Amino acid sequence: MARGLRLSSELIAGVLVGAVLGWGFDRLLSTSPFGFIVFFLLGFAAGVLNLVRSAGVAPDRSGR
Amino acid sequence: MIDPIHQFQLNKIFTIGHIGNQEIVFTTSSAYMLLAVAIIAVMMMAAGRQLVPGRFQSVVELSYEFVANTIRTSAGSHGMTFFPLVFSLFMFIFVSNIVGIIPYTFTISSHIIVTFSLALLVFLTVIIYGFYKNGLKFLKLFVPSGIPVVILPLVVLIEIISFFSRPISHSVRLFANMLAGHVTLKVFASFVTMLGALGFVGKVGALLPLGLTVALTALELMVAFLQAYVFTILTCIYLNDAIHPGH
């Protein structure tokens, strides 16, 4: 259970931050809904990156 | 049915004052925070400095060595600058988690705002110290080496989002583990009383959840330590980024 919670929290955090950033971007520049769409997808990518790093599949940045 | 969420309710003990119209209240959570700090303080004060350590002194020396080793292995010897911060975080979370396992007590790390404040403290420390120590070179953290220029902007954007998601995953991990563990424990314990009310057959059947509750308590004891350790080790990894960015 601990491992599952750890990995899922990584993914959800990435998506959440992407969504919030996109929403704020739209609010500031009134580009709704494109900012949200783009940042949501980027957030998903960041979440997967977090997930893969935390699972230890990909090397954690280069040289470590 | 016994309400498994009831244990997380905050109760007002007394009012400290007002900021604007907002009431500032001393709650059960604050009381248990103070209790954790008091336990740590008493442990540290009572330790003594004998050459042959007594009981308290062994525990204190052991925890010092443990945290110091964790910092050295994951943030390098330079990370020892942050020993006071990391040690305080570890002891605070560990002691409050252990106190929370005792029945009828309150677990402060089962509230996300508490763990999020702790994670935000680490996050801001990393940003401020990173810029203070490395200047603009700190931004190299977001630019991995050996990436083609064409997709670099995309990668940098993803790295930035990944960086900002750190305090969330950092806090949710501790919070979710403590919350889930305590709810599971409560649910299995309430099965014992519910089955026990069903006569002889129920009492025999209640032995199974009773055994599970005992086993889960042992598991929770391990989780209490493990999650404090995970929080500490993640803190060290993040601090390592502030000390040596662009690795």
Side-chain angles (χ1 to χ4, degrees):
Chain A
M1 186 176 76
R3 191 176 158 82
L5 275 177
R6 201 183 81 200
L7 296 181
S8 59
S9 75
E10 293 281 1
L11 181 63
I12 292 166
V15 176
L16 212 67
V17 168
V20 168
L21 272 181
W23 183 77
F25 194 80
D26 277 347
R27 278 289 296 263
L28 281 177
L29 303 176
S30 59
T31 48
S32 182
F34 300 104
F36 185 79
I37 294 171
V38 170
F39 274 95
F40 189 83
L41 293 175
L42 282 175
F44 192 78
V48 172
L49 183 72
N50 279 347
L51 184 73
V52 168
R53 262 187 197 146
S54 134
V57 182
D60 195 359
R61 303 199 194 288
S62 46
R64 208 194 309 151
Chain B
M1 178 78 193
I2 299 148
D3 182 10
I5 300 294
H6 188 260
Q7 58 178 323
F8 303 119
Q9 209 166 46
L10 282 175
N11 294 314
K12 175 171 146 182
I13 297 180
F14 60 84
T15 309
I16 297 172
H18 293 263
I19 296 179
N21 281 326
Q22 182 62 46
E23 196 180 13
I24 306 296
V25 172
F26 189 88
T27 58
T28 29
S29 184
S30 330
Y32 277 100
M33 283 179 202
L34 279 184
L35 178 69
V37 172
I39 289 174
I40 297 167
V42 166
M43 234 170 74
M44 297 288 155
M45 306 279 191
R49 283 155 194 254
Q50 265 90 49
L51 190 62
V52 179
R55 278 194 212 102
F56 271 121
Q57 200 183 341
S58 310
V59 172
V60 171
E61 281 177 7
L62 217 66
S63 46
Y64 171 86
E65 285 293 326
F66 179 72
V67 176
N69 278 334
T70 311
I71 297 177
R72 282 200 200 96
T73 49
S74 52
S77 55
H78 195 88
M80 286 302 279
T81 326
F82 289 104
F83 181 79
L85 172 72
V86 178
F87 188 73
S88 315
L89 277 177
F90 175 74
M91 290 308 280
F92 182 66
I93 296 171
F94 178 59
V95 170
S96 62
N97 281 356
I98 292 290
V99 168
I101 291 177
I102 303 167
Y104 297 105
T105 54
F106 179 84
T107 322
I108 56 176
S109 52
S110 63
H111 278 242
I112 192 159
I113 191 63
V114 175
T115 59
F116 190 70
S117 331
L118 294 177
L120 211 60
L121 172 74
V122 173
F123 185 68
L124 291 177
T125 309
V126 166
I127 291 181
I128 293 170
Y129 185 76
F131 275 119
Y132 167 73
K133 178 91 189 309
N134 308 290
L136 285 178
K137 261 194 235 156
F138 180 60
L139 294 176
K140 257 168 60 183
L141 187 68
F142 302 121
V143 189
S145 51
I147 302 276
V149 185
V150 189
I151 58 166
L152 195 62
L154 199 66
V155 171
V156 168
L157 214 55
I158 290 174
E159 287 279 356
I160 290 174
I161 294 176
S162 158
F163 182 76
F164 277 102
S165 72
R166 271 173 180 186
I168 297 180
S169 62
H170 197 184
S171 57
V172 164
R173 196 172 294 179
L174 175 60
F175 149 76
N177 269 295
M178 298 316 290
L179 183 82
H182 282 259
V183 169
T184 324
L185 206 56
K186 193 75 165 196
V187 167
F188 275 106
S190 67
F191 283 162
V192 179
T193 55
M194 280 156 70
L195 279 173
L198 293 178
F200 180 70
V201 183
K203 282 202 174 67
V204 172
L207 283 176
L208 187 68
L210 183 65
L212 267 173
T213 311
V214 173
L216 271 175
T217 309
L219 182 75
E220 275 307 296
L221 210 61
M222 197 192 73
V223 167
F225 167 73
L226 207 66
Q227 287 308 314
Y229 177 61
V230 165
F231 197 92
T232 317
I233 210 162
L234 278 172
T235 305
C236 293
I237 290 172
Y238 296 161
L239 286 173
N240 182 49
D241 281 343
I243 299 164
H244 320 103
H247 239 243

